[in-house]
Every structure is written in C-alpha cells, then in structure tokens.
Amino acid sequence: MKITGSRVIIECLVEQGVDLVFGYPGGAILNVYDELYKNSDRIRHILTAHEQGAAHAADGYARSTGKVGVVLATSGPGATNLVTGIATAYMDSVPIIAITCNVTIPQLGKDSFQEIDITGVTMPITKHNFIVRDVSKLADTIRKAFVIAKTGRPGPVLIDIPKDITAALVDYTAATVQNGGEISLTADKKRPATSMPSQDEIERAAQLINKAERPVIYAGGGVIISNACEEIKELSELANIPVTMSLMGKSAFPNRHPLALGLIGMHGTKASNMAANKSDLLIAIGTRFSDRVIGDPKKFAGNAKVLHIDIDPAEINKNIRVFTALLGNIKDILAALIPLVEKKPVSEWNRRIDEWKKEIPSSWNKKTALPPKFIYEYVNSRVDEDTIITTEVGQHQMWAAQFYNYTKPRTFLTSGGLGTMGFGTGAAIGAQLANPSRRVVHFAGDGSFRMNCNELATIAHYNLPIVIIVVDNGALGNVRMWQTLFYEKRYSQTTLDFGPDFVKLAEAYGIGGCRVKNQDEFKKAFDEALSAGKPAVIDAMIDIDEMVMPMIPPGKPVENLLLDV
C-alpha cells in the first residue's frame, strides 16, 4: 500500500503507542499537520503558545510516565525554539522524540527561507539525530529513534524530515509487534542486549557492603529512570544504610523514612553532606557526581571507597575516581546484589547520623509574614502522595527539594542538569495531560515565570487544573543571594520591581488569580484553588532577602557548609 511520508509518520507514532503529541505548526510541517487533522481520533495534538513550551511539555509527559514524549515543530525558528527543551531533556536523561520538518531537499544548503541545519545544531544535545532524505527509510528511522531514546540511558532523539519527503509516496508495511510490545526491526537495528556484571563482580560488591562500617547510599535520577526505587528501599532497610539523594534523585526514596537524609550537595542537609564525607563506603547509584553535589572533587567523600552502579560507562571515573563499578541496568543489578547483602542492626553510625539530622538552619523557622517553608509544608499537607510537583529553577526549586516530602517516584519534576528557567510550566502541562486524574502543583519563581507565562494560554484553552504558585520575592532570588554572599551586595540587574502583575495576567488569560501576603491568605487561596478544580495562579509574596540554607559555597568542600549567615 502506497501512502505519503506524512502518513508514515502518523502510522509509526501509533505503532509506538503514541496517542498524544505537543507542537506548533508552520509551512514546512504542514503536510504532517494535515495528516494529524485526518487522524485526530488516533493522536491528540496539544497546541502550545511556543515551541519551547511544547518541548518542555513532552519532557514533563515523559518524566511523569516513563514513556517517550513527542514534540513537533516546523523548520528554521520553529526547530531552533526546541533547542533549550532538547538540551534540558539531554542533561536529565529524558526520552523525547523531536520531529522537525525542513525545506525540500533541493533547497537544503541554499539559505532558503526558514532553513536551518537542525541536525548540526542539536548534535551535541541529542542521543542521536537523523535527517531523512529517502522516504523509503522514513519508517525504520522513526522506529529506530524510539529504540535509541528509551534504550540504556534514555535521552532525546531528533528526526528532521524535508517537506518533499513528507509528500512523497512509499510502500508502507506495518511493523511486527513481538511479545512484550517490542517493534521488530531488521537485524542490525534491534535493541542491543543490556549487559550485566559478572557474578564475581556482584559478589565483590556485596562483600564491600557487608564489611563497611559507615556505608551511605547516594541515589540519583537513574534510580527513578530504571524503576529501581523499591530495590533501593530494600537494600537500605536490609543493612540499615542511610540514603541521600541528588536533586534528580528526589522522590527515589521516601523523604520521611527514618533512613532518609534528604538532599545532598550545595543546598543539601548537614546530615547528607556529613554522612557522605565521613562514610567508609559510598554506594552511588544512577548518578553522575554533579559539581553541585561534590564541590571540591579532591575532598568529596575522601574517606570512602566509592561503589558506582550505573548503566552508562561514560559516567564511571568522569568526575570522581571510584573503587569499583557495576555497569548495567540498576534494577537488575540490585536484584542480583541484594540476596548477597547481610542484614545489619542499627549501629553507632546510624545514631551519629541522627544527631546530624537535628542540626538545621535557624532560617528554616524564620518569623516572616509568609515563610517559604510554610508554603511548601502547607501544600504538602493538603494534597495526596500522588500529586506531581513541578518547578522552575532558582530558590523556589531548592525549597521544593528541601521542604516537600516526596513519597513516590516521578512526583518531582525539575530541570537539574541544565537548570532551565522556563521549564516548569510546560512540564506541568505535559504531566497534567499524561496524568489527568492526578493533581499537578507548579512552583515558580517570579523571574522564571516571566519566561514562560505565555503558556497560561495553553493551560486555559485545555482547562488544565494546574495550581501555579509564584514564590514572588521581586528578584532573581538565587542570583541575588549569591550577590549578597559573594559580591558585597552589588545587586546588578537582579531586582524585578516592575511588571507584570501576575494576578491581572492570569485573569487576562481567563484564569483565576490572587495575591497573598501572609499565611492565612495563602491557606485560603490554596484551599479554594484545590476545591475549584480549575487552573489557578497564586502570587505568594515573600521577603526579598530569603536565603536557601544550608549552603556549601561553589567548589568548596563540605567543611565549608553554611547553616546560617
């Protein structure tokens, strides 16, 4: 049966189980959008206000479900507007497929209207990318892209398709679905088998754990990606090993668990940072040892042997020299490792850590009209454990990691590696559409929210019951905080004492908005937003000089931890 390249795209997406895509149309991709119109009963398209919002929405969809998110954009600026969203997904190992359409093949390389070499632009920020110049290869390219995006360490894949390829006719054969829902490809394109460490390697790792007197688990985002959260919990409880989490690892381990130490790194708890520093065995699982965690690499966990468990060999010895590593799927490795680990009672090490847990910044209990800690704890008290929290980037993001108690994986969606201001509103849209029966609460700083508030149009149009809380200090809070600590209070271009009025802005989009300045007002506003079941914006006014504490100054060891200033 001969069909157009555009129809091939639709059929391949349906093959892969895709029923929801995000995007923005344009000239070069019109053939694809015409097919979407004809197949609207099979694939729902969400029109965002900007292509970057669409990319972040596909990302939020993927993070909250573990499935592959899909975003569409036209050529030129449509494609380049995806770049920040693709880079965000790349840094945090999120599987998304970006489909862009370019000018026709004869127009490529001639500075044609809205032409861009998007494969060249995105080469450093994709797991792989393709330009399809032969319509007969289109179907297998799309199928291969999905395999690459979700195999091993996940990540974004871009497919660029010239407009004449979307119009060309080709004989199309549906893919064969094997047991387990896998698509059968030609032999050279099958998903590679994930290797496992040898039994000897597993046994040696178990011996390290059994002999350790001061072990600590350092859980990263890979634990969530590999669906290994239950295994982490089992290992921790079996040997009474405390667990610390990176920003991307938040929600991998229940925050209220007695063995949970909270966030590690620059804004991590004293218990987390001291435990890593004083441990004799650091079991790092699914993490890349970010500079925001390790500070001075020569002094991080200086007393510990490091056992690194990860699927990506490129991460081993990249930032920290390890004693030994186990390479492969985390869930499978832990399943093989746990039976060899000895059960251990509560030790002096556990009791020492419990004492560190008691040392918290006095600023956490600072008496202001509307303390950040109150905002997050009140929200936490009013929603269930299935609620998905999304954030932008800045102080409000760190407070969401510090003060909100996550109990289930995939309930904390944030830009970790790239630190993308403007990420969260799009991610909230994707998460809400992927999980229509669950509550989504989005925390934004006033600086970040300026970068994506156009997506209020999307939220209003689709009537998504997202509650947006703008933690508003009238400044670029995180940058101002650094200016206070390290630049002698020279507040260069960080004071945001000008519009917009977020309440009026929300109302302009047809969304309920209100401004709150104290705890009682916040309680009332949030409770009303929850009960209404509609989109809402709460502009929560906090003190401009609020700090995120604890803090380890950049590049410094844990000994330089600031509890207060």
Side-chain angles (χ1 to χ4, degrees):
M1 177 180 69
K2 285 189 179 294
I3 61 175
T4 65
S6 295
R7 182 65 182 271
V8 170
I9 294 169
I10 301 299
E11 296 301 328
C12 287
L13 291 177
V14 172
E15 278 178 8
Q16 297 292 335
V18 175
D19 58 6
L20 181 70
V21 299
F22 305 88
Y24 205 96
I29 202 171
L30 272 178
N31 292 331
V32 177
Y33 271 81
D34 194 47
E35 284 297 331
L36 277 169
Y37 182 89
K38 298 171 186 176
N39 290 272
S40 58
D41 59 327
R42 304 168 74 196
I43 297 178
R44 184 185 182 192
H45 179 276
I46 301 299
L47 177 66
T48 57
H50 190 281
E51 290 92 351
Q52 184 174 332
H56 293 323
D59 183 315
Y61 175 97
R63 291 186 200 231
S64 66
T65 62
K67 300 176 183 178
V68 179
V70 179
V71 60
L72 310 178
T74 195
S75 63
T80 58
N81 281 344
L82 296 180
V83 168
T84 298
I86 293 170
T88 301
Y90 181 75
M91 289 292 283
D92 290 345
S93 305
V94 180
I96 66 172
I97 300 291
I99 297 175
T100 56
C101 288
N102 217 321
V103 299
T104 63
I105 290 175
Q107 292 175 312
L108 289 173
K110 297 182 178 179
D111 294 333
S112 303
F113 177 68
Q114 291 193 334
E115 179 198 356
I116 194 76
D117 177 13
I118 195 61
T119 55
V121 170
T122 60
M123 188 175 292
I125 56 167
T126 51
K127 197 174 175 188
H128 197 77
N129 64 23
F130 303 87
I131 181 168
V132 182
R133 297 173 182 266
D134 181 346
V135 70
S136 68
K137 296 179 180 179
L138 178 58
D140 258 7
T141 298
I142 295 171
R143 292 162 185 158
K144 186 175 183 180
F146 273 84
V147 171
I148 292 170
K150 59 189 178 183
T151 299
R153 182 178 183 168
V157 178
L158 180 135
I159 311 167
D160 193 36
I161 310 167
K163 187 172 183 178
D164 47 349
I165 296 298
T166 68
L169 292 172
V170 66
D171 285 316
Y172 170 77
T173 303
T176 303
V177 180
Q178 299 175 330
N179 291 336
E182 294 294 334
I183 299 294
S184 176
L185 302 180
T186 53
D188 63 323
K189 295 177 182 176
K190 284 184 178 178
R191 179 185 299 206
T194 301
S195 61
M196 270 287 286
S198 68
Q199 186 60 28
D200 283 348
E201 289 175 308
I202 296 284
E203 289 176 0
R204 285 197 295 271
Q207 289 172 8
L208 275 176
I209 297 172
N210 293 335
K211 291 179 180 178
E213 295 180 355
R214 302 185 307 280
V216 172
I217 293 172
Y218 165 28
V223 174
I224 298 168
I225 292 169
S226 62
N227 298 313
C229 298
E230 284 302 315
E231 286 78 7
I232 290 283
K233 188 168 178 282
E234 184 178 355
L235 175 62
S236 170
E237 292 175 342
L238 176 65
N240 262 297
I241 305 174
V243 179
T244 182
M245 290 158 277
S246 71
L247 183 66
M248 296 308 302
K250 289 295 291 186
S251 84
F253 192 78
N255 207 63
R256 287 195 176 100
H257 194 286
L259 290 167
L261 304 185
L263 190 67
I264 190 173
M266 178 176 282
H267 292 299
T269 64
K270 179 169 184 177
S272 278
N273 285 303
M274 290 299 292
N277 196 45
K278 300 297 183 182
S279 66
D280 62 359
L281 178 66
L282 187 69
I283 309 166
I285 308 177
T287 188
R288 59 188 176 85
F289 290 101
S290 160
D291 59 295
R292 285 295 176 98
V293 168
I294 65 176
D296 183 348
K298 295 178 181 178
K299 295 183 179 180
F300 178 76
N303 300 302
K305 293 178 178 178
V306 176
L307 165 60
H308 196 174
I309 304 174
D310 205 280
I311 200 167
D312 186 356
E315 292 300 337
I316 308 303
N317 293 318
K318 185 177 81 174
N319 294 329
I320 290 288
R321 298 294 299 177
V322 306
F323 182 78
T324 191
L326 297 177
L327 276 172
N329 182 280
I330 293 169
K331 189 178 183 74
D332 295 339
I333 290 173
L334 291 177
L337 180 65
I338 288 170
L340 304 177
V341 173
E342 297 170 358
K343 184 174 179 59
K344 290 186 178 179
V346 173
S347 66
E348 181 58 34
W349 174 237
N350 297 109
R351 287 186 281 271
R352 187 177 179 188
I353 286 173
D354 286 341
E355 289 302 310
W356 285 328
K357 281 185 178 183
K358 297 175 184 177
E359 297 185 48
I360 60 172
S362 60
S363 60
W364 284 13
N365 298 308
K366 186 178 176 182
K367 302 299 182 184
T368 58
L370 188 55
K373 186 170 184 282
F374 168 81
I375 293 172
Y376 294 88
E377 290 182 344
Y378 187 75
V379 170
N380 205 168
S381 72
R382 299 295 293 157
V383 298
D384 63 37
E385 62 184 6
D386 287 321
T387 297
I388 297 170
I389 301 299
T390 61
T391 79
E392 302 295 343
V393 168
Q395 287 181 310
H396 70 277
Q397 174 193 32
M398 295 298 104
W399 290 324
Q402 290 178 333
F403 299 141
Y404 194 96
N405 288 307
Y406 304 92
T407 59
K408 289 188 175 182
R410 302 189 184 278
T411 54
F412 178 55
L413 312 185
T414 197
S415 171
L418 197 63
T420 305
M421 294 173 70
F423 163 79
T425 305
I429 290 169
Q432 187 69 83
L433 285 160
N435 304 271
S437 64
R438 296 169 66 181
R439 173 70 64 182
V440 175
V441 176
H442 174 49
F443 288 103
D446 49 316
S448 290
F449 194 52
R450 291 163 182 261
M451 296 188 177
N452 61 23
C453 56
N454 54 347
E455 294 304 337
L456 288 174
T458 311
I459 292 171
H461 176 68
Y462 294 101
N463 195 30
L464 303 177
I466 299 166
V467 179
I468 299 175
I469 300 170
V470 183
V471 185
D472 190 346
N473 62 356
L476 296 175
N478 219 38
V479 186
R480 179 187 169 91
M481 183 174 73
W482 281 45
Q483 289 171 334
T484 299
L485 295 173
F486 311 122
Y487 291 87
E488 298 178 339
K489 299 184 179 182
R490 293 186 293 272
Y491 299 124
S492 177
Q493 305 303 316
T494 52
T495 302
L496 304 179
D497 54 355
F498 52 92
D501 181 320
F502 294 126
V503 175
K504 291 181 179 178
L505 183 67
E507 291 171 350
Y509 283 106
I511 293 175
C514 68
R515 183 170 294 106
V516 299
K517 297 181 179 180
N518 58 50
Q519 297 180 31
D520 288 339
E521 289 178 356
F522 182 83
K523 288 180 181 179
K524 183 175 183 290
F526 187 70
D527 289 349
E528 288 178 354
L530 280 184
S531 61
K534 296 178 181 179
V537 173
I538 300 172
D539 190 14
M541 311 301 292
I542 68 167
D543 190 280
I544 194 171
D545 289 316
E546 290 283 4
M547 295 267 189
V548 181
M549 290 291 156
M551 181 179 187
I552 300 174
K556 299 296 183 181
V558 69
E559 287 82 359
N560 292 69
L561 178 75
L562 303 174
L563 277 178
D564 287 294
V565 291

